[in-house]
Amino acid sequence: VLVCLAAFSKQKFSVTLRGITHGKDHPNVDTLKHVTMGYCKRLGLHSAELTINARGYPPNGGGEVIFSCNTLKVVKPLQWLDTGKIKRIRGVASCARMSPATNPRIIDAAR
């Protein structure tokens, strides 16, 4: 909801969010950054930025994300008639409070 409303604020919008960034019951911050921000750019909100300073995992949190964008006067209509072909599939791997060897093993297993 914050991403949708921020574009129509009266001046440049910037907010710092702290807490859990990767919970099991809701989309994580990487999904928001790579999917939702892509749609914002298609709608004409090219100045929208989501910066991940720290990742936070349950139960303690500790994550920090900064979202900022300029105002938007007119929303471009989004016309997506031809979905096209899948060019590549990308992913993000992260872990906390585990052995440093775990992250490369996750990446190798995903390939």
Side-chain angles (χ1 to χ4, degrees), residues 18-92:
R18 292 184 181 90
I20 296 173
T21 60
H22 292 75
K24 69 175 190 175
D25 295 332
H26 44 19
N28 63 36
V29 72
D30 291 311
T31 304
L32 186 67
K33 182 175 183 176
H34 296 292
V35 177
T36 307
M37 290 294 121
Y39 285 119
C40 286
K41 293 192 188 324
R42 284 186 177 193
L43 289 170
L45 193 60
H46 298 288
S47 65
E49 280 187 30
L50 187 72
T51 307
I52 304 169
N53 289 341
R55 297 179 187 278
Y57 298 92
N60 299 331
E64 182 177 285
V65 177
I66 299 174
F67 172 72
S68 63
C69 72
N70 289 331
T71 59
L72 185 66
K73 300 297 179 193
V74 178
V75 178
K76 283 182 9 184
L78 182 64
Q79 295 183 7
W80 197 3
L81 302 176
D82 183 22
T83 57
K85 295 182 180 180
I86 297 173
K87 294 180 182 177
R88 68 183 145 243
I89 297 175
R90 291 185 257 177
V92 176

